[in-house]
Amino acid sequence: MSYRAPWASDPARSKGRLHEEQNGSVRGPRDAFQRDRDRIIHSISFRRLRHKTQVFMAPDGDHFRVRLTHSLEVAQIGRTIARTLALNEDLTEALCLAHDIGHPPFGHAGEDALKAALMPSVEDGGHGGFDHNGHTLRTLMTIERPYPLWNGLNLTWETLEGLAKHNGPVRHPGWALAAADAEFPLALTSFSSLEAQVAAIADDIAYDNHDIDDGLRAGLLTLDQMLAVPLVARGWDDVRRRFPDVAAKRLVGELVRAQIGTMVNDLITETRARISASGVTTVEDVRAAGQCLVGFSPEMRDAERDLKRFMYANLYHHPRQLAAADAAHGIVAGLFAVYRDDPMAMPAEWHERLPMAEPDRSRHIADFIAGMTDRYAVSRYRELVGPIDLPDGF
């Protein structure tokens, strides 16, 4: 085994799994975090990511990213960072691969529809809303059922903890995350491991840059527009200096690669400095540090925020994208209404387990819808509700 820093997560010191496993269920030389990664890859929920929205909903083009390809790209960036910082690559990879499993069809548009359908305020008679991060834990701990003796994938505490709070401590968890924490306490109010912090920022680096590629490919962005972003303009100037005789169209991929490298290198330098200044010597010191130790320098942080603002204004909130989001919201809301009024419309394995009392009844229906792929949701809507005129973007 290559060198691992003392503040890296150690599978030999894992806090274990919720359910004790028989020796026969542990095969070969894999350690606990490697088994977690493999269980995630082999799960039904992971396979469904191949037909779930990343930026473009139910895309017809074969070259656009979906949740599955995005997750693989996040894992590649995360592994590189973890290896360079001497962290646990396997735990980092598991977290990167699983971080989007809780997303419903149509990305954030689908999430907004389920959030509205579940009426967030329990005090006002609602059902607690919907949150994709909490649903990731619910999926991996409850909904997935590949094993005979327990529900869920029975992942290690460290993997579940990292998924629960990879974006920082959680002081007011939604109902799904609170239920997961009640079953297997995840120390939600402390910071997460460095591996989880790496996974979170690897996600940002991946979609910051790969969404540029997809936006240009779709014609929703132009290179001239992108050059209004200082970070992109600096990268483009560097690429043009290195390849002065190559057509601009062939340099977009090089721009994206170079920009990822710039962000990763900045992150590694800044993170090393933060770790050194913090004085941490163990993974528990990391959790008690009171701050995120993995991050960009102040200059890169500001540049990355400028890029995000540009992408929201020009890609994510593009009129074509907003029209597609409205249609997606209607599909998810329509399906929820149908299943609420006629649970028998769900497959037998779902309606036979339907709780009789609220809020569990509505949450069960939302579980079923959240697991759908984009194309399955569209086909079920057409079958159960009727024709739908889908705008450009589907």
Side-chain angles (χ1 to χ4, degrees):
M1 184 181 67
S2 59
Y3 169 75
R4 189 176 291 153
W7 43 79
S9 296
D10 183 355
R13 302 182 66 183
S14 169
K15 296 184 181 180
R17 305 178 187 275
L18 178 60
H19 305 287
E20 183 178 355
E21 299 188 0
Q22 300 174 355
N23 291 336
S25 66
V26 179
R27 301 180 181 89
R30 297 173 299 165
D31 66 37
F33 300 153
Q34 290 168 339
R35 288 197 296 275
D36 279 2
R37 176 202 58 208
D38 296 347
R39 290 177 184 190
I40 290 163
I41 289 173
H42 289 286
S43 69
I44 291 174
S45 298
F46 184 73
R47 294 198 293 274
R48 286 185 184 138
L49 294 179
R50 73 186 183 275
H51 292 301
K52 288 196 174 189
T53 293
Q54 176 59 23
V55 175
F56 298 102
M57 298 177 190
D60 291 328
D62 291 336
H63 298 162
F64 292 108
R65 288 165 175 85
V66 292
R67 288 284 167 189
L68 180 62
T69 56
H70 166 70
S71 297
L72 294 172
E73 290 169 338
V74 174
Q76 180 271 316
I77 293 171
R79 283 197 312 269
T80 298
I81 296 170
R83 182 181 302 130
T84 306
L85 294 174
L87 302 177
N88 190 292
E89 289 183 49
D90 299 311
L91 176 58
T92 304
E93 185 177 17
L95 294 168
C96 291
L97 292 172
H99 80 283
D100 270 354
I101 274 178
H103 269 288
F106 313 119
H108 293 287
E111 180 171 3
D112 289 343
L114 287 180
K115 191 178 297 183
L118 291 182
M119 296 180 292
S121 177
V122 176
E123 292 80 4
D124 295 334
H127 308 115
F130 181 91
D131 168 68
H132 77 266
N133 195 51
H135 194 69
T136 293
L137 274 291
R138 182 169 171 82
T139 299
L140 295 174
M141 295 178 68
T142 303
I143 297 174
E144 282 280 346
R145 298 184 176 185
Y147 300 110
L149 298 180
W150 56 75
N151 294 337
L153 300 185
N154 202 31
L155 302 176
T156 62
W157 185 92
E158 288 76 12
T159 296
L160 296 174
E161 179 235 15
L163 291 169
K165 55 185 184 179
H166 61 278
N167 287 323
V170 181
R171 304 196 183 279
H172 303 289
W175 67 268
L177 185 51
D181 181 61
E183 185 175 21
F184 197 12
L186 299 171
L188 294 180
T189 58
S190 69
F191 280 82
S192 60
S193 65
L194 290 174
E195 289 82 3
Q197 295 179 35
V198 166
I201 205 160
D203 181 29
D204 286 346
I205 293 171
Y207 75 72
D208 280 345
N209 292 286
H210 294 142
D211 290 358
I212 293 174
D213 189 26
D214 279 356
L216 291 170
R217 185 183 301 278
L220 272 62
L221 299 175
T222 67
L223 185 57
D224 286 342
Q225 277 182 298
M226 294 301 313
L227 294 181
V229 182
L231 178 65
V232 178
R234 289 194 295 271
W236 183 249
D237 288 343
D238 178 66
V239 169
R240 293 299 288 166
R241 277 193 298 270
R242 290 188 285 123
F243 302 98
D245 300 322
V246 178
K249 186 175 182 180
R250 290 200 62 178
L251 294 181
V252 171
E254 184 64 24
L255 169 67
V256 170
R257 285 189 293 273
Q259 195 160 281
I260 290 173
T262 298
M263 287 184 167
V264 168
N265 289 336
D266 178 274
L267 173 73
I268 289 169
T269 300
E270 175 69 15
T271 299
R272 282 173 169 161
R274 291 187 190 183
I275 290 173
S276 177
S278 71
V280 299
T281 60
T282 68
V283 68
E284 292 308 323
D285 288 345
V286 171
R287 293 190 173 97
Q291 62 176 316
C292 186
L293 298 178
V294 177
F296 295 127
S297 67
E299 296 77 16
M300 181 58 74
R301 178 196 63 207
D302 292 343
E304 194 261 351
R305 287 175 179 172
D306 285 343
L307 175 59
K308 271 190 169 65
R309 282 191 287 268
F310 173 89
M311 296 296 282
Y312 271 95
N314 294 280
L315 180 60
Y316 308 136
H317 292 166
H318 188 283
R320 197 178 96 181
Q321 291 292 86
L322 294 178
D326 285 345
H329 193 286
I331 291 170
V332 173
L335 287 173
F336 186 91
V338 167
Y339 294 133
R340 180 194 58 209
D341 295 341
D342 180 16
M344 294 295 289
M346 291 191 292
E349 64 182 295
W350 281 90
H351 72 67
E352 289 172 358
R353 294 187 284 110
L354 181 72
M356 297 304 296
E358 295 288 5
D360 291 338
R361 184 182 179 88
S362 290
R363 290 172 177 176
H364 182 82
I365 294 170
D367 287 343
F368 174 57
I369 295 173
M372 292 180 176
T373 62
D374 293 15
R375 64 181 187 175
Y376 182 71
V378 170
S379 68
R380 291 297 286 164
Y381 184 92
R382 284 174 168 155
E383 177 185 347
L384 297 171
V385 181
I388 181 170
D389 184 20
L390 298 178
D392 289 341
F394 272 85

